[in-house]
Amino acid sequence: MHIMSDVNVNEEDVLRYISEMKNARLNAISKSEANKIRRAQVELIATYKYTKQDIEQSMKAQRKRKGISNIGAERTRVGISVQAAQEDFENAKRSLEEVQAIYDNNDMEEDIENKLQLAKDEVEEKEELLKERLLKAEEVEQADAKRKRLTDKSDRVQNWIKVNRRNAQANQKADFNAAMEQKKNKEDTESGLVEKEVDLYARRKVKPVMLWEVGNNDKENGAKNKNEAAKDAGEAAAAAVAAKAKAAMEKSNNSNKEKKKQVGTSTDHFNSNKSHQFAIDEAVLADVGTLGTKAISSVVRVRKGLSLEEYQKRKAAGTL
């Protein structure tokens, strides 16, 4: 392929051409001949049609100049092409085996030798194509390795590697120093050289205490018996008061009935007696209220846990 320049010719170029032709003892072209050559070149450029061979050569030259720009896409494309070439090669081999079997069986088929030769040629062609695709895949892998190598050697990556290495070493050194300091403090504290610092936010190391006792013991049984006795006494007193109040109410009702009989059936007396038919003995009610209060207040309350005062004393003494 000839590469031509598209820069216009100037006067200096023409003078140089004429001098070179004279030195070579050749005749320089005339103006009409130059115009004829120019028109032929323009027509060739305008009407030229690229062939498949020209396109392949151009693509190869472009790849050699630029290399592989997108390695991922190229790897995918080459992998698909290798797989297709492998399948074509396997199919060609199977076809050759079938034709070879027919030939070995001495079947008198027309053009069997030609078919056998065509099958062999096809197998060779597919094998060459497969080798070419495999070489292309190897080139892609080499390009990827080269890219990684260049990336690792770049200044930016090397700077980040130095930063990560420095930080990792600093972290290891800090961990080692902290472990040694902790070990030294522990040894000094155990030996008594240094007083142990009190951490105000640490959990206190005290023996757990059951603040609320649950279960049956002698004290609980005694308190329970005392409560039951007081409850029985209160119930007995309440029953006595109720009986006394009932007797007083019956006595009052009987007295009201007798007064009714003595006064008669007049309306005024009936209304007055009706308004006071439920007479209440205030002394009896006073006794009932007093007895009921005494019976209820006689129940003794038993606390099973610690009082607030005792809890605060134990907390101050550190005996919780």
Side-chain angles (χ1 to χ4, degrees):
M1 180 184 293
H2 299 284
I3 299 175
M4 295 179 291
S5 176
D6 58 351
V7 180
N8 294 329
V9 179
N10 53 22
E11 186 177 359
E12 184 180 356
D13 295 333
V14 174
L15 294 175
R16 187 183 300 114
Y17 168 72
I18 293 173
S19 63
E20 290 291 337
M21 294 298 288
K22 287 181 178 181
N23 293 332
R25 294 181 180 183
L26 296 173
N27 295 326
I29 61 175
S30 62
K31 185 175 181 180
S32 60
E33 291 176 348
N35 290 330
K36 188 183 292 185
I37 294 173
R38 182 180 65 81
R39 285 194 298 267
Q41 290 177 350
V42 171
E43 184 179 1
L44 176 63
I45 293 171
T47 60
Y48 184 79
K49 293 182 180 180
Y50 287 95
T51 61
K52 185 177 180 181
Q53 185 178 2
D54 294 337
I55 295 172
E56 290 180 355
Q57 290 178 357
S58 177
M59 292 178 66
K60 287 181 180 179
Q62 186 178 4
R63 290 196 192 100
K64 287 181 179 179
R65 290 194 303 269
K66 294 183 178 180
I68 300 174
S69 58
N70 191 342
I71 294 178
E74 190 68 17
R75 180 186 285 115
T76 303
R77 188 185 67 80
V78 171
I80 294 172
S81 63
V82 169
Q83 185 177 1
Q86 183 71 32
E87 292 177 357
D88 293 341
F89 179 66
E90 295 295 334
N91 293 331
K93 284 178 65 177
R94 283 195 293 270
S95 299
L96 177 61
E97 290 175 358
E98 292 175 359
V99 175
Q100 187 70 38
I102 295 173
Y103 183 78
D104 293 340
N105 292 332
N106 296 323
D107 293 338
M108 301 303 294
E109 185 178 350
E110 296 182 358
D111 300 333
I112 187 64
E113 294 183 357
N114 293 334
K115 290 182 180 180
L116 181 61
Q117 187 62 35
L118 291 175
K120 290 180 179 180
D121 295 340
E122 186 179 3
V123 169
E124 292 178 359
E125 182 181 355
K126 297 300 182 183
E127 187 176 3
E128 292 294 332
L129 181 61
L130 179 60
K131 290 180 180 179
E132 183 180 353
R133 299 288 173 80
L134 292 174
L135 290 175
K136 184 61 180 177
E138 187 177 355
E139 290 178 3
V140 173
E141 296 299 330
Q142 291 178 358
D144 190 15
K146 182 179 179 181
R147 180 188 61 83
K148 291 180 180 179
R149 186 169 59 254
L150 294 176
T151 303
D152 293 340
K153 290 182 179 180
S154 63
D155 295 338
R156 183 179 180 182
V157 174
Q158 291 297 322
N159 291 334
W160 279 115
I161 291 174
K162 290 179 182 178
V163 170
N164 293 334
R165 188 184 298 113
R166 184 171 63 250
N167 293 337
Q169 292 176 356
N171 291 335
Q172 292 176 1
K173 185 176 180 181
D175 294 340
F176 178 76
N177 293 335
M180 295 301 295
E181 185 177 359
Q182 185 177 5
K183 182 178 179 181
K184 183 179 179 182
N185 293 336
K186 185 178 180 181
E187 292 176 354
D188 294 342
T189 304
E190 291 177 354
S191 60
L193 298 177
V194 179
E195 295 183 358
K196 187 176 181 181
E197 296 182 358
V198 179
D199 189 0
L200 300 177
Y201 301 98
R203 184 182 294 273
R204 291 180 299 171
K205 296 181 180 180
V206 296
K207 185 178 180 181
V209 178
M210 185 69 70
L211 299 179
W212 302 95
E213 297 179 357
V214 179
N216 295 326
N217 50 24
D218 296 340
K219 292 183 180 180
E220 290 181 353
N221 294 332
K224 185 176 180 181
N225 295 332
K226 190 175 181 181
N227 290 336
E228 290 179 355
K231 185 177 180 181
D232 295 339
E235 290 178 355
V241 172
K244 191 175 181 180
K246 184 176 181 182
M249 292 294 291
E250 291 178 354
K251 184 179 179 181
S252 177
N253 291 333
N254 293 332
S255 63
N256 287 334
K257 289 179 180 179
E258 290 177 358
K259 288 180 181 180
K260 258 180 161 185
K261 291 179 181 180
Q262 293 176 2
V263 173
T265 58
S266 84
T267 305
D268 296 335
H269 292 290
F270 176 76
N271 292 333
S272 62
N273 290 332
K274 187 177 179 180
S275 62
H276 299 287
Q277 63 179 341
F278 296 105
I280 299 173
D281 193 353
E282 295 180 356
V284 173
L285 291 179
D287 293 338
V288 171
T290 305
L291 291 173
T293 305
K294 289 181 180 179
I296 294 171
S297 62
S298 63
V299 179
V300 180
R301 181 181 177 186
V302 178
R303 181 182 293 276
K304 293 184 179 182
L306 296 175
S307 64
L308 179 61
E309 184 178 359
E310 186 177 357
Y311 173 76
Q312 290 178 350
K313 287 181 181 180
R314 291 190 181 185
K315 181 179 179 181
T319 58
L320 280 176

